[in-house]
């Protein structure tokens, strides 16, 4: 794309013939072979590639699951059981798909945290960041609707509660809820709606991913120093350097993924979902999938009315607000320095934010009673304060550390450090046994 | 000369605006069926009423029937339950409105207005859908001995009125009537 001038030179006649008609090989070469990446990228930068792989995994396993799945309330649960017991390799395909969704979210959360740490959202990458937020929203919608398909108790009651959010919206809320449900409660039309959309949305995600990568290739990648690329020595070609690093990251990630599939396939699921949906009986303790738990805690933290907003609408607004605030991060952060590496205070608040987010997730899995409620409220407060108070103010008050002049300088300084201590990195190869 | 120019421009403007309007209205009209098809269909809307035999319900027992895809609780309340609800001061209620489909929409949430009415105070019929986010509350549980919603902890009293927790409204009382001493019709 526009990462400088194209360096592609078609070698054979057929390549020249294609290049003159539809230069797709040129596009691929410029985007994934010659594309210059900062030479100091670390493993936090491999999650983009991992996310791409996970989307492909979900689409391929999904398409084959559809060959055996029936989207009818009388058949859905049984058809999933049939996939598990009768269909050749069905257990593997379903476990890949169910755990794949979880691993997709693990990767996206790490990817988002990488962005927050290194200030990847700052100009000129605002649109890139917003496209990422849109992908994340679409993933949540897809994950939620997919979870309804096996038609277990958690499927049905999760769908009831989540579509219930809409009833909190004044005037149009109930109309919207009935539009989603196709009726007055979760029933066959709900299942067919969700099945259709669950098939559609991953392809919409794929489309937005193309835009995301396009935007990335216009502005280039950030790097741990947060300094823009200034000269050719700051970069390396994407292939082989980033390709191999990404591939190594993927292998490690997929190895953990495989461990879950083969050894603890139901660890991230909920046993109640192996009981068929009963619209007259709610399970004693309903929880959403783990990747929604922090937001579930925020929803339930609002137990009080705020002026004219009752607690129900307040909870729903807080929950959607927690996601919406991400879209505004490029403008909430007022610091001139991009990377947390050079921002001592931001670094501290960032890590507290990370721990707080995990704690919110844990609280989300607990019932709304006792000390959990004030804890949810305190955690929710920090979540919003981080974005709305800390980010804007820190930029004004924090004194950042001295920035290196260029990526090259930062890399050389680091290597010099290693030379000064021969027992360190450079000596490691000889000491390996 | 300039006059002809002018009329040319306005004519073109008119065509632009007219074409644009037709395109927008046309697109909206074409989109509507694609949205509206998702809404409850004719068979779902043909909300038949159901008849329920309640003669076998002793005081202190309930049954759950399915109506329009939702659970409906029918309970023959004990005298203690009725008394507890009657003795509750109106000021303690989070939602002071009866939410009874058989009464005017501003009827107060007194115990008698929540029940089947004078001389039938022992009967209470309610849609068993928590007014928070739609779970089915559990009977004879919670801080007020009425219903308790396990999803996010809403407590309803013995008249199905919200007393504690995130739910904003009392449990809805559907349109129903006694068609004989032992039979009710819901809907
Ligand atoms: C963004 C990508 C996707 C995500 C995050 C996702 C997520 C999920 C989740 C969480 C489930 C429930 C798994 C369970 O607990 O059993 C599910 C089920 C299902 N999904 Fe997907 N999915 C994705 C893509 C697709 C695609 C592209 C298709 C079809 C072409 C598909 C077809 C299905 C089917 C048929 C089921 C029901 C069978 C089952 O429950 O295992 N999915 N999906
Ligand atoms: S659905 Fe009943 S308390 Fe939330």
């Amino acid at each position: 794309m526009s990462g400088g001038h194209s360096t592609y030179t078609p070698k054979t006649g057929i390549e020249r013939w294609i290049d003159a008609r539809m230069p797709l090989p040129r596009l691929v070469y410029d985007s994934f072979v010659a594309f210059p990446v900062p030479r100091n990228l670390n493993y936090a930068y491999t999650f983009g590639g991992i996310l791409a792989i996970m989307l492909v995994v979900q689409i391929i396993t999904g398409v084959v699951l559809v060959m055996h799945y029936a989207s009818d309330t009388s058949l859905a649960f049984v058809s999933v059981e049939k996939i598990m017991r009768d269909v050749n390799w069905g257990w593997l395909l379903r476990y890949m798909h169910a755990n794949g969704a979880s691993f997709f979210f693990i990767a996206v959360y790490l990817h988002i945290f990488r962005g927050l740490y290194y200030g990847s959202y700052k100009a000129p990458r605002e649109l890139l960041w917003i496209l990422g937020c849109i992908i994340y929203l679409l993933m949540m919608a897809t994950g939620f609707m997919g979870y309804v398909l096996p038609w277990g108790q958690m499927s049905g009651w999760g769908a009831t509660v989540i579509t219930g959010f809409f009833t909190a919206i004044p005037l149009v809320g109930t109309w919207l809820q009935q539009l989603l449900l196709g009726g007055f409660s979760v029933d066959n039309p709900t299942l067919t709606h969700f099945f259709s959309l669950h098939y559609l949305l991953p392809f919409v995600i794929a489309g937005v991913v193309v835009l995301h990568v396009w935007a990335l290739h216009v502005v280039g990648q950030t790097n741990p120093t947060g300094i823009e690329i200034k000269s050719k020595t700051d970069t390396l070609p994407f292939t082989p350097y980033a390709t191999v690093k990404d591939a190594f990251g993927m292998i490690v990630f997929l190895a953990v993924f495989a461990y879950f599939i083969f050894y603890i396939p139901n660890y991230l699921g909920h046993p109640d979902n192996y009981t068929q949906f009963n619209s007259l009986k709610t399970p004693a303790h309903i929880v959403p999938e783990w990747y929604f738990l922090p937001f579930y805690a925020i929803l339930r933290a609002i137990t009080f009315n705020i002026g004219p907003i009752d607690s129900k609408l307040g909870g729903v607004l807080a929950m959607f607000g927690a996601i919406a605030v991400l879209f505004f991060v490029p403008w909430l952060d007022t610091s001139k320095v991009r990377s947390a590496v050079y921002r001592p205070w931001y670094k501290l608040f960032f890590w507290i934010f990370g721990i707080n987010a995990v704690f919110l997730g844990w609280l989300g899995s607990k019932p709304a009673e006792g000390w959990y409620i004030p804890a949810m409220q305190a955690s929710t407060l920090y979540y919003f304060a981080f974005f709305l108070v800390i980010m804007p103010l820190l930029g004004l008050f924090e004194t950042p550390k001295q920035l290196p002049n260029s990526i090259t300088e930062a890399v050389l300084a680091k290597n010099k450090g290693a030379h000064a201590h021969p027992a360190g990195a450079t000596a490691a190869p000889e000491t390996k046994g | 000369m300039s006059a002809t120019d002018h009329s040319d421009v306005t004519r073109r403007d008119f065509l632009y605006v007219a074409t644009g309007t037709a395109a927008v209205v046309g697109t909206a009209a074409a989109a509507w069926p694609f949205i509206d098809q998702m809404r409850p269909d004719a068979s779902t809307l043909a909300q038949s009423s159901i008849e329920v035999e309640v003669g076998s319900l002793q005081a202190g027992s309930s049954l759950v029937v399915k109506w329009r895809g939702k659970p409906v609780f029918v309970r023959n309340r004990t005298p203690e339950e009725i008394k507890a609800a009657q003795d509750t001061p109106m000021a303690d209620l989070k939602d002071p409105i009866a939410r009874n489909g058989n009464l005017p929409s501003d009827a107060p949430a007194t115990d008698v207005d929540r029940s089947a009415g004078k001389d039938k105070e022992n009967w209470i019929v309610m849609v068993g859908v928590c007014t928070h986010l739609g779970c089915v509350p559990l009977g004879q549980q919670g801080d007020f001995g009425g219903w308790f919603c396990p999803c996010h902890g809403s407590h309803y009293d013995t008249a199905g009125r919200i007393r504690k927790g995130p739910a904003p409204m009392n449990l809805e009382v559907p349109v129903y009537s006694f068609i004989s001493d032992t039979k009710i019709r819901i809907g």
Side-chain angles (χ1 to χ4, degrees), chain A residues 157 182 184 193 282 284 296 312, chain B residues 38 47 70 131-132 136 150 152:
Chain A
W157 291 105
F184 304 102
H193 288 180
T282 309
Y296 198 55
K312 175 175 164 180
Chain B
M38 284 179 72
Q47 298 149 355
K70 294 177 181 175
T131 60
H132 182 225
V136 180
H152 317 98

Side-chain angles (χ1 to χ4, degrees), chain A residues 157 160-161 164-165 167 175 178-180 182-185 193 279-280 282-284 286 296 299-300 310-312 368, chain B residues 32 35 38-41 44-45 47 64-66 68-71 94 131-136 138 150-152 166 168:
Chain A
W157 291 105
T160 303
V161 168
F165 293 163
T167 60
W175 188 89
Q178 290 178 4
L179 186 82
L180 284 174
F184 304 102
S185 57
H193 288 180
S279 64
L280 299 184
T282 309
I286 73 163
Y296 198 55
L299 169 81
R300 297 180 303 163
D310 67 25
S311 54
K312 175 175 164 180
Chain B
W32 180 246
I35 296 166
M38 284 179 72
R39 302 190 52 239
D41 68 14
T44 313
L45 285 174
Q47 298 149 355
V64 182
V65 292
K66 199 169 171 173
R68 294 184 186 174
K70 294 177 181 175
K94 187 172 173 187
T131 60
H132 182 225
L133 296 170
C135 291
V136 180
L138 304 166
C151 286
H152 317 98

Side-chain angles (χ1 to χ4, degrees), chain A residues 16-285:
Chain A
R16 272 191 295 277
W17 188 88
I18 294 175
D19 195 50
R21 284 158 182 80
M22 190 198 58
L24 182 63
R26 176 182 295 275
L27 181 70
V28 172
Y29 181 87
D30 291 344
S31 312
F32 302 107
V33 180
F35 185 70
V37 297
R39 64 189 310 138
N40 57 340
L41 295 186
N42 58 26
Y43 279 105
Y45 285 81
T46 59
F47 288 101
I50 290 172
L51 281 163
I53 287 275
M54 289 317 293
L55 179 60
V56 172
V57 167
Q58 288 308 94
I59 290 181
I60 294 177
T61 52
V63 167
V64 295
L65 282 171
V66 172
M67 297 182 185
H68 309 279
Y69 172 79
S71 63
D72 183 292
T73 50
S74 60
L75 299 171
F77 185 83
V78 203
S79 75
V80 172
E81 282 310 299
K82 196 167 129 62
I83 290 172
M84 293 302 288
R85 290 152 206 264
D86 298 346
V87 174
N88 299 336
W89 301 101
W91 60 272
L92 177 65
L93 298 167
R94 172 159 181 263
Y95 280 155
M96 282 173 85
H97 196 77
N99 287 285
S102 282
F103 275 74
F104 200 2
F105 276 94
I106 292 175
V108 87
Y109 282 130
L110 293 171
H111 193 64
I112 294 172
F113 274 99
R114 187 287 317 264
L116 287 174
Y117 188 80
Y118 291 121
S120 306
Y121 44 80
K122 281 180 191 279
R125 296 185 182 77
E126 302 93 326
L127 265 186
L128 177 59
W129 172 264
I130 288 174
L131 287 165
C133 293
I134 293 173
I135 295 172
Y136 174 49
L137 264 183
L138 288 169
M139 278 175 65
M140 292 206 271
T142 310
F144 155 61
M145 294 197 210
Y147 198 58
V148 176
L149 302 186
W151 209 244
Q153 274 287 66
M154 283 296 163
S155 301
W157 291 105
T160 303
V161 168
I162 292 182
T163 54
F165 293 163
F166 291 90
T167 60
I169 305 170
L171 305 176
V172 291
T174 307
W175 188 89
L176 266 176
Q177 185 208 25
Q178 290 178 4
L179 186 82
L180 284 174
L181 293 178
F184 304 102
S185 57
V186 171
D187 213 329
N188 205 55
T190 319
L191 182 59
T192 51
H193 288 180
F194 286 6
F195 181 48
S196 169
L197 295 174
H198 184 70
Y199 206 134
L200 169 70
L201 288 186
F203 296 92
V204 177
I205 294 178
V208 184
V209 167
V210 170
L211 298 181
H212 189 71
V213 173
W214 183 9
L216 173 70
H217 284 214
V218 171
V219 295
Q221 276 178 286
T222 54
N223 64 84
T225 67
I227 309 169
E228 293 291 349
I229 294 169
K230 289 179 180 155
S231 67
K232 211 169 151 43
T233 58
D234 287 349
T235 66
L236 292 170
F238 190 93
T239 302
Y241 298 96
T243 324
V244 170
K245 195 158 190 158
D246 277 354
F248 184 72
M250 279 172 201
I251 290 169
V252 173
F253 189 83
L254 292 179
V256 182
F257 180 35
Y259 179 81
F260 271 74
I261 295 173
F262 292 109
Y263 292 97
I264 43 173
N266 290 306
Y267 182 73
L268 297 168
H270 200 291
D272 273 335
N273 225 25
Y274 283 106
T275 309
Q276 191 163 358
F277 176 51
N278 174 352
S279 64
L280 299 184
K281 196 174 172 301
T282 309
H285 181 45

